[in-house]
Amino acid sequence: MSEEVSKRAEEEAETPDLEQGQSDDSSDEGDASGDTEMDFLRSLFSRTLGLSPGDKVLDELTLDGVARYILSGKCKNIICMVGAGISTSAGIPDFRSPGTGLYANLQKYNLPYPEAIFQIDYFKKHPEPFFALARELYPGQFKPTVCHYFMKMLKDKGLLRRCYSQNIDTLERVAGLEGDDLIEAHGTFHTSHCVSCFCRKEYSMDWMKNKIFSEDIPKCDSCGSLVKPDIVFFGENLPARFFTSMKMDFPRCDLLIIMGTSLQVQPFASLVSRVSNSCPRLLINMEKTGQSEFGMGLFAFGGGMDFDSDKAYRDVAHLSTCDDGCMALAELLGWKAELEEMVKREHALIDSKDAKKKDKEANQSSRSTGAEPGKTDKTE
C-alpha cells in the first residue's frame, strides 16, 4: 500500500493535465520536490485519515474568521493561487464554462478539437488559429479587476509572499505586481522566444504585439522559425521557477487564498496540499472545488479541501464572484474604501494613457497623410 501511495503522489506532481498550456516537467519538479516528498506523504496521510490534524488557527470557518486572523498580526506570509475566474469581470472568458468559456467558442478556427489551439505540435504546423485568438485576447486591452488590486493591496501592506497564477493575461503585472511577486505557472505574454531549439532568440512584448496586430505570423529575424509568446503549451515544460519557488514558499505560508480556479489542472492544483497542516485555506469561487473523497484523497488525487465534514478545521469557502469576495474581505479588514479608491484611480490612469496613445497615433496618421492634426478633409 505504501509503495502504491508513493507512486500515485509522484504521478500527481509529474503528470499535469493542461488547461491554458501546461506540461510534464518531471526533471525540474523531481529535483525541487524530492527532499519534501516524505513531508508531503505525511501530510497526505494525516489529512486523509484524520490522524494528526494541525492546530486550529481560525476562531471560526468563515470569512469573518479569516479577517480576524489577518488583523491579529499573526498572518505575515499570504500566498494567492489564482485562475481564469479572477479575470472574467475584465471581459476575458474562462476556459471551461459551458457556452461562454473559451473552449466552447473556438468553432470558427476549424480545430480538430478545442485544446489543439494550445498544442505545441499543432501550433508549429498551424500557427494561424492561435495568433488569430491572440488578437482577440491580447494583453493590454483589458483592465485589472478588484481581485487583482486586492492582491496588490496585500503586497503594499507587506502581507503577500507570492501570487501563483494560472493566467496568461498579465493583468497581475498591470495591477502592480512585479516579477518577484509572481509565479506565472503557465507562462506569460511578457516575453517571446524563437521555437527553434538551436536559436531561442528572445523578443519583447511590443515586438510580438506589432506582429500579431499587423496579422503577420511572427518569424525569427535570425533563423526564420516561428516565434511564440512564452506561454506554456500542451507538450512544453512549466517554468523551472515554479518548482523551485513552491519548495521555498509553501512551507512558510500562513494563509492560502485560492481564487477563480477549478483546481482541476495539475501540478498547479496540488499546491494546496503543500502548506502546513495548520495553515488556513480560503477559497473564493463560484462553487466549492478542490474537495476529494476518501479514496481519491488517499491516493493523492485532488487538493483535499474539507469545508463541510465534522473534521473540517481550517478550510473556508466563500461562494461568490472573485471581485465580490475580495471586496467583502476588504470591508471586514477595514480596507474597502482604500480598495475602491485604488481601483478608481488605477482605472482612470489606464484610461488616460489609452487616450493619449490614441491621440498620438491619430496625429502620426495625420502627418503621414498630410492632413492637419485634429482636422479632416471634409469642408463645412
Side-chain angles (χ1 to χ4, degrees), residues 58 63 66-67 69-70 75 77-83 86 147 150-151 153-155 159-165 250 253-261 263 268 271-272 275 279-285 305 314-316 318 322 325-326 329-330 333 335:
L58 303 179
L63 200 64
V66 172
Y69 173 52
I70 294 174
C75 178
N77 288 283
I78 297 175
I79 291 178
C80 294
M81 289 175 57
V82 300
I86 74 167
C147 185
F150 179 77
M151 292 191 292
M153 185 170 288
L154 289 176
K155 174 190 173 179
L159 298 174
L160 181 70
R161 181 170 185 86
R162 208 90 66 192
C163 170
Y164 283 70
S165 177
F250 281 80
C253 179
D254 48 29
L255 174 62
L256 182 63
I257 302 179
I258 305 150
M259 298 184 283
T261 173
L263 290 179
F268 189 88
L271 295 178
V272 301
V275 296
C279 178
R281 301 181 295 190
L282 168 64
L283 174 71
I284 300 177
N285 205 42
M305 305 282 283
R314 60 158 172 172
D315 293 333
V316 177
H318 182 81
C322 295
C326 286
L329 181 54
L333 292 167
W335 303 350

Side-chain angles (χ1 to χ4, degrees), residues 63-103:
L63 200 64
D64 297 76
V66 172
R68 286 192 291 271
Y69 173 52
I70 294 174
L71 292 172
S72 72
K74 298 176 182 177
C75 178
K76 301 179 184 299
N77 288 283
I78 297 175
I79 291 178
C80 294
M81 289 175 57
V82 300
I86 74 167
S87 295
T88 53
S89 64
I92 301 174
D94 65 10
F95 278 69
R96 300 184 186 277
S97 292
T100 61
L102 183 64
Y103 285 155

Side-chain angles (χ1 to χ4, degrees), residues 149-347:
Y149 289 116
F150 179 77
M151 292 191 292
K152 174 59 163 58
M153 185 170 288
L154 289 176
K155 174 190 173 179
D156 292 346
K157 295 181 181 296
L159 298 174
L160 181 70
R161 181 170 185 86
R162 208 90 66 192
C163 170
Y164 283 70
S165 177
Q166 292 176 285
N167 298 333
I168 58 175
D169 53 38
T170 74
L171 287 181
E172 296 91 354
R173 290 178 183 264
V174 178
L177 297 187
E178 299 176 352
D180 190 54
D181 305 315
L182 281 168
I183 303 296
E184 292 161 317
H186 298 163
T188 176
F189 271 93
H190 196 64
T191 55
S192 301
H193 281 84
C194 172
V195 300
S196 170
C197 60
F198 300 107
C199 179
R200 298 298 295 161
K201 182 176 179 180
E202 181 173 314
Y203 292 87
S204 70
M205 187 171 178
D206 286 341
W207 182 93
M208 177 57 71
K209 182 177 181 179
N210 288 335
K211 293 292 184 181
I212 288 177
F213 283 95
S214 65
E215 301 190 18
D216 291 334
I217 299 300
K219 296 290 184 69
C220 180
D221 299 335
S222 296
C223 72
S225 298
L226 284 169
V227 177
K228 182 182 77 65
D230 290 340
I231 63 172
V232 182
F233 276 31
F234 291 87
E236 292 188 303
N237 294 334
L238 269 69
R241 186 165 170 259
F242 171 84
F243 301 107
T244 56
S245 295
M246 74 178 185
K247 176 183 173 183
M248 296 184 295
D249 289 342
F250 281 80
R252 296 174 173 84
C253 179
D254 48 29
L255 174 62
L256 182 63
I257 302 179
I258 305 150
M259 298 184 283
T261 173
S262 63
L263 290 179
Q264 293 180 359
V265 179
Q266 299 294 355
F268 189 88
S270 67
L271 295 178
V272 301
S273 299
R274 294 188 175 273
V275 296
S276 73
N277 281 359
S278 299
C279 178
R281 301 181 295 190
L282 168 64
L283 174 71
I284 300 177
N285 205 42
M286 292 297 290
E287 59 186 7
K288 293 178 182 178
T289 188
Q291 297 166 290
S292 59
E293 299 297 331
F294 178 85
M296 296 297 284
L298 181 62
F299 293 112
F301 294 123
M305 305 282 283
D306 181 5
F307 303 111
D308 303 312
S309 83
D310 57 3
K311 293 181 180 179
Y313 69 98
R314 60 158 172 172
D315 293 333
V316 177
H318 182 81
L319 302 185
S320 72
T321 66
C322 295
D323 286 353
D324 287 346
C326 286
M327 193 60 77
L329 181 54
E331 184 171 16
L332 293 170
L333 292 167
W335 303 350
K336 182 179 180 181
E338 185 180 354
L339 179 57
E340 289 176 334
E341 177 59 30
M342 176 185 283
V343 174
K344 181 179 178 181
R345 180 182 67 248
E346 295 299 321
H347 280 186

